[in-house]
Amino acid sequence: MQALLGLETEEIRALLPADEPAFRARQVYEALYHRRAASFDDLTTLAKPLRQALALRCCFGYPEAASVYQSTDGTKRYLLRLADGKTVETVFMPEQARDTLCISTQVGCPVGCHFCLTALMGLERNLTAGEIVGQVFFVARDNGLWADAKRINIVMMGQGEPLLNVPEVLKAARILTDVKGLGLSPRRITVSTSGIVPRIAEFAQAPDSQRPRLAISLNASSEEQRCRLMPITRKWHLRDLLDACRNYPLRTWENLSFEYVLLKDVNDTDADARRVARLLANINCKLNLIALNPGPGIPFSTPDPARVAAFQAIVRKSVPCFVRRPRGLDIYAACGQLKRMESPPALISPPVARL
């Protein structure tokens, strides 16, 4: 069956009988995304025979919850089952003024960063735009976010490398930012990349009104160090990545975000901090520090809070620098921990929160 979720107006038009007027496709599109219909009965602008005809050929395409884990800090980790039986993870992080959804763009990940649990999975396949958008709709509905006045932030920082799935990521962004779709501001959506240099230029070509913000996973202070931690650097070198960042077409309200996972006694020294500050000095950006969120099979340790603070103090003399507070550590929902663990949290040895 054809899934409706992820389709744009012209694609919906192709599913309708040829004698139906063109505006019917727009009605389906707006009901699906703007009014967030969940069943064919909700398509009330369509005549009942047309709804019945669509129901015979189409489904909505929402994922199903295979497992849901609740953290002591309010975070939820969803293991969502897709139509072909594969699963991805989505994380819901409630806060007082906003809610953040961390969503996946691939099943698994091909990049192979040595400090990330997701890298141990390898890549199974890309997600479709509908499967990307579906995570947002499922988690928002499950937590009553549509009725909440708080802002919703979406970060594509779950499983996968978004810039190895650019067409579907940008299609999902069009739907999420369309005023007749979900209507989110592109300021509220962030895409994170490990540094796929040619795809950064491709991503930058998206219209300003639809293009999400961009975050770069840096994680090292030198080319040699980054090659050891992120094998992808052997193909797309650090100097080329930084050149692409300098040339990135920022909007007037925008800066680039860099992410830096701190690994004890590996990339967290004062010398590392000074090198990072020099690397980023001529880029309109900010740096987010993430003390390693540990997990089974990861051969690194989390630095002490004092070391994180010392690193931040050095960098922030040149570049705005923040420490990201981990969420969902006890359920393996924090950054770098998503590995589709299906065991109940009580059976998983929880990492020790160091920050």
Side-chain angles (χ1 to χ4, degrees):
M1 268 194 167
Q2 172 65 58
L4 290 175
L5 207 62
L7 298 184
E8 296 179 284
T9 304
E10 289 306 309
E11 294 169 308
I12 295 171
R13 178 73 185 91
L15 296 174
L16 300 177
D19 59 350
E20 288 290 340
F23 68 80
R24 292 290 183 218
R26 295 194 297 273
Q27 289 179 323
V28 174
Y29 178 91
E30 291 183 22
L32 183 63
Y33 301 118
H34 192 67
R35 299 207 307 276
R36 299 176 285 277
S39 72
F40 288 98
D41 289 339
D42 293 335
L43 304 182
T44 54
T45 54
L46 305 185
K48 187 173 182 180
L50 180 55
R51 278 182 269 160
Q52 292 172 334
L54 275 176
L56 292 175
R57 301 179 56 194
C58 305
C59 62
F60 275 74
Y62 286 101
E64 299 176 350
S67 301
V68 182
Y69 302 116
Q70 177 81 51
S71 170
T72 55
D73 66 16
T75 299
K76 291 183 183 178
R77 176 169 68 92
Y78 289 82
L79 188 67
L80 297 179
R81 183 177 294 111
L82 308 174
D84 64 356
K86 294 188 181 297
T87 55
V88 294
E89 286 175 298
T90 304
V91 179
F92 169 58
M93 293 168 280
E95 298 183 64
Q96 186 171 1
R98 65 184 181 188
D99 294 311
T100 299
L101 278 62
C102 178
I103 64 176
S104 298
T105 55
Q106 295 179 309
V107 182
C109 184
V111 175
C113 300
H114 294 319
F115 48 82
C116 179
L117 276 173
T118 312
L120 302 178
M121 298 171 57
L123 176 66
E124 296 184 29
R125 68 170 175 84
N126 285 335
L127 296 184
T128 66
E131 290 168 335
I132 295 170
V133 171
Q135 296 171 71
V136 176
F137 276 61
F138 183 94
V139 174
R141 179 180 291 116
D142 192 56
N143 292 280
L145 304 188
W146 303 136
D148 201 314
K150 290 191 292 185
R151 299 179 301 187
I152 298 176
N153 286 355
I154 296 172
V155 293
M156 297 190 191
M157 297 181 180
Q159 291 178 7
E161 165 54 67
L163 294 197
L164 291 177
N165 191 17
V166 171
E168 298 301 313
V169 165
L170 289 180
K171 185 180 183 184
R174 287 196 299 271
I175 293 169
L176 293 170
T177 57
D178 187 355
V179 293
K180 294 184 178 179
L182 191 56
L184 293 179
S185 166
R187 301 181 186 216
R188 298 290 164 207
I189 308 173
T190 300
V191 166
S192 178
T193 179
S194 60
I196 314 298
V197 172
R199 299 295 179 87
I200 292 175
E202 181 182 350
F203 183 79
Q205 293 173 8
D208 286 356
S209 61
Q210 301 169 358
R211 173 164 44 93
R213 301 179 68 124
L214 187 63
I216 311 292
S217 292
L218 183 61
N219 306 318
S221 65
S222 69
E223 174 89 1
E224 179 185 8
Q225 188 183 75
R226 198 168 193 267
C227 281
R228 292 198 304 269
L229 297 174
M230 303 176 69
I232 198 167
T233 306
R234 299 166 194 164
K235 185 171 185 178
W236 289 295
H237 300 296
L238 179 57
R239 63 181 178 275
D240 299 324
L241 173 60
L242 293 174
D243 284 344
C245 292
R246 292 186 189 95
N247 294 325
Y248 190 77
L250 294 170
R251 289 154 286 197
T252 55
W253 48 265
E254 186 178 20
N255 59 17
L256 283 175
S257 293
F258 284 86
E259 315 292 319
Y260 194 99
V261 177
L262 288 161
L263 311 172
K264 185 175 182 179
D265 300 329
V266 175
N267 66 350
D268 65 341
T269 68
D270 287 356
D272 286 309
R274 287 190 289 269
R275 284 193 292 268
V276 167
R278 288 195 295 269
L279 289 175
L280 303 184
N282 296 319
I283 301 175
N284 181 8
C285 68
K286 65 178 181 179
L287 179 68
N288 293 318
L289 300 178
I290 304 165
L292 174 71
N293 299 311
I298 300 300
F300 300 105
S301 300
T302 306
D304 295 330
R307 175 89 305 265
V308 176
F311 194 102
Q312 180 191 27
I314 292 170
V315 174
R316 74 188 331 175
K317 294 176 183 177
S318 304
V319 177
C321 185
F322 307 91
V323 177
R324 186 185 294 174
R325 181 169 61 93
R327 299 290 302 272
L329 277 169
D330 55 331
I331 56 169
Y332 283 111
C335 181
Q337 290 188 317
L338 301 185
K339 192 175 174 285
R340 297 190 310 193
M341 294 186 185
E342 298 188 51
S343 302
L347 300 182
I348 299 173
S349 298
V352 178
R354 304 295 294 270
L355 284 177

